[in-house]
Amino acid sequence: MVNRVIPKMVNAAALLLQLQLLWLAALSRRVVAFSPQASVPPLLSISDRTNAQVRFESRMSSESTATTTSALHSMVSSWSDLEKQIGVSYLNPVPVPVSIDSVLQPEKPSFSTDQPTLFRERHGWCPYSERVWLTLELLDIPYDTIRIDNTGGPRPSYYSGATTPQMEWPNGKTQGESMDLVYQLDEDYSSYDFQSANSQVRETISKFRSVFPSGARPSSRAAFLFQYSGEPLWKSTFEETLKKTDELLAETKGPFFVGDSLTAADIAWCPFLERYRYQLPCLHEDLNPYDSKLYPHLTAWYNAMDQIPAYACRVKGNASSWRKVLFMAGFGNGGMVPIEIKGNKDNLIQRDKENMSQMNEASDLEIWQAYASTRPYVADTPQAQAAQIICSNRQVILKDTLKRGGDTSTASSSEEELDETMRELVEVLLGNADETSLTNDSRRAVGALVAFLNERMCVPRDMGATPAAVLEHLEWKLQTYN
């Protein structure tokens, strides 16, 4: 248990003001998260100071005047001690998968002659890249990754592909087209049989084009969602797609597209159904692919996929991130964000908070341990994985938080205090403290920080959905504790 006794004179009011302003700013901005290798621009460029924020600043300023600057602060562990507590070999000199952000590291790397190198979209938004990424994770083979910008930003001179994904094989040969890469991986590696040559699998893959809507505006991050006018496709169009998908799944005896086991057919359909699961409810009211009454077989498929460790723990995006993508004007929606999306999104966020108490941590831990068992660079629990990522990227997180928190010159120790709050958050994730043992000030500060990180985070770019769910659940616990 963290020592909560020794007092320390700090500018507590200033820290709480800054973090609570960050919390409000996070709610008023639609932004993506810090990246392990980059600080990424916001999804939307809107005013940094809303009227509500000005009123909040005024209220907090008057309250902080009456707040004593003397407060009890915990003596939290140092970063080096926290890293030792995490105990993951990622922090030790063992082989770790190479992942290069080509925007930040444009120099040509030395390509491996022993394992494939995947070129995929930078943020994890491209569904075609996800097909190949998921295949590599399911095979659980060593591979390197180079992340490519697909939004019109800079690309490395050595990348000759027009789109993602592409693969550079150990022999130097390059290859594109997502399903061709899936078939080639299935042929070259025997650790998982995707039944790519099976005629039923191939036929199910070919049906994708006839089931998903035609005439949609092309977009890799908002695929099969919008008309060319920028408005969402008709609700009836989506309902027909979901109905046909459910009927196709009903033709097999198992929860997957071709029986009891995941095949290349599931890989082909998965990225698009994943996005539909979280994005369609934002586009139209009462449109929910995850409805066991209307679409029982599709719901069973979603549940089955959520039990696949490589998918659930690393490749899958989460509801929050896929909803944020819809606020990216110009990428599928014709340069504007339909007004109804925000109202639907806010209602869904409230529903998520109401359902947060139902989070099954035991089930998530079991799935995570299956994923981590063959990956020595991954922490033993999703909580420790979230702590590991925060530890490894603390300087980027610190700079990003201070930058988006406004002028820090009003408190000379604000950076030091924020660093301490980050360490206290890691203590909570590691089980050294919880919402009951934190002081009131610490609980509010850690709660504000984790809420800000949740709003900034992009899944699966920054971390997998399972450790991200830990942070979302922690935010809920800190907010609802009394």
Side-chain angles (χ1 to χ4, degrees), residues 26-282:
L27 295 176
S28 66
R29 298 172 184 147
R30 300 279 73 89
V31 292
V32 296
F34 60 87
S35 168
Q37 300 183 21
S39 179
V40 180
L43 290 176
L44 277 185
S45 296
I46 62 176
S47 173
D48 283 346
R49 291 172 60 86
T50 63
N51 290 332
Q53 185 172 346
V54 172
R55 292 195 299 269
F56 185 83
E57 289 173 351
S58 177
R59 177 171 62 84
M60 286 301 299
S61 178
S62 61
E63 290 179 0
S64 64
T65 302
T67 303
T68 177
T69 57
S70 176
L72 289 176
H73 263 234
S74 58
M75 293 293 292
V76 297
S77 302
S78 66
W79 285 115
S80 60
D81 287 342
L82 290 171
E83 289 175 343
K84 292 176 184 177
Q85 290 180 53
I86 292 172
V88 65
S89 53
Y90 176 86
L91 301 171
N92 299 323
V94 299
V96 177
V98 173
S99 182
I100 296 174
D101 187 334
S102 64
V103 173
L104 299 176
Q105 299 173 260
E107 301 82 10
K108 184 176 182 178
S110 298
F111 293 102
S112 174
T113 57
D114 300 316
Q115 59 198 46
T117 298
L118 171 64
F119 294 85
R120 65 174 174 86
E121 186 272 328
R122 188 184 183 206
H123 300 294
W125 294 331
C126 171
Y128 304 98
S129 293
E130 183 177 331
R131 284 173 167 175
V132 186
W133 185 17
L134 176 57
T135 303
L136 287 163
E137 284 292 324
L138 288 166
L139 288 170
D140 195 11
I141 60 172
Y143 69 95
D144 296 331
T145 301
I146 297 178
R147 289 176 285 142
I148 302 294
D149 185 87
N150 274 0
T151 64
R155 285 186 168 190
S157 58
Y158 59 83
Y159 184 68
S160 59
T163 60
T164 56
Q166 281 205 2
M167 191 83 79
E168 176 149 330
W169 300 102
N171 61 8
K173 176 186 174 182
T174 59
Q175 184 180 0
E177 295 299 329
S178 61
M179 290 312 298
D180 289 345
L181 292 172
V182 172
Y183 300 149
Q184 190 65 53
L185 285 166
D186 193 21
E187 180 179 335
D188 291 349
Y189 299 92
S190 59
S191 53
Y192 197 112
D193 183 10
F194 298 109
Q195 303 181 49
S196 296
N198 181 294
S199 59
Q200 186 180 0
V201 170
R202 291 293 183 112
E203 182 181 355
T204 303
I205 293 171
S206 68
K207 289 180 179 179
F208 173 82
R209 284 293 179 184
S210 62
V211 170
F212 264 66
S214 59
R217 183 183 179 91
S219 172
S220 64
R221 71 203 61 197
F224 303 102
L225 291 179
F226 293 99
Q227 306 173 44
Y228 276 85
S229 66
E231 291 296 317
L233 297 174
W234 296 108
K235 183 179 180 180
S236 59
T237 299
F238 291 127
E239 289 173 332
E240 182 67 16
T241 296
L242 296 176
K243 180 175 177 290
K244 289 181 178 179
T245 303
D246 193 73
E247 291 172 348
L248 183 60
L249 285 162
E251 295 176 5
T252 68
K253 296 181 179 180
F256 297 100
F257 273 97
V258 187
D260 293 328
S261 300
L262 183 149
T263 68
D266 299 285
I267 291 173
W269 286 70
C270 176
F272 303 92
L273 290 175
E274 173 190 321
R275 287 151 180 77
Y276 265 26
R277 177 179 181 177
Y278 300 118
Q279 292 178 332
L280 291 194
C282 293

Side-chain angles (χ1 to χ4, degrees), residues 52 273 373 424:
L273 290 175
S373 63
E424 197 159 25

Side-chain angles (χ1 to χ4, degrees), residues 404-423:
R404 295 178 184 277
D407 183 11
T408 62
S409 63
T410 56
S412 60
S413 59
S414 60
E415 183 171 342
E416 177 185 343
E417 291 173 355
L418 182 55
D419 181 86
E420 181 173 333
T421 301
M422 287 174 59
R423 286 183 283 121

Side-chain angles (χ1 to χ4, degrees), residues 381-412:
T381 68
Q383 289 82 1
Q385 181 69 10
Q388 170 195 320
I389 291 171
I390 292 172
C391 281
S392 301
N393 300 284
R394 57 185 179 268
Q395 292 301 325
V396 173
I397 297 171
L398 183 65
K399 292 178 181 178
D400 181 69
T401 306
L402 292 173
K403 175 183 177 182
R404 295 178 184 277
D407 183 11
T408 62
S409 63
T410 56
S412 60

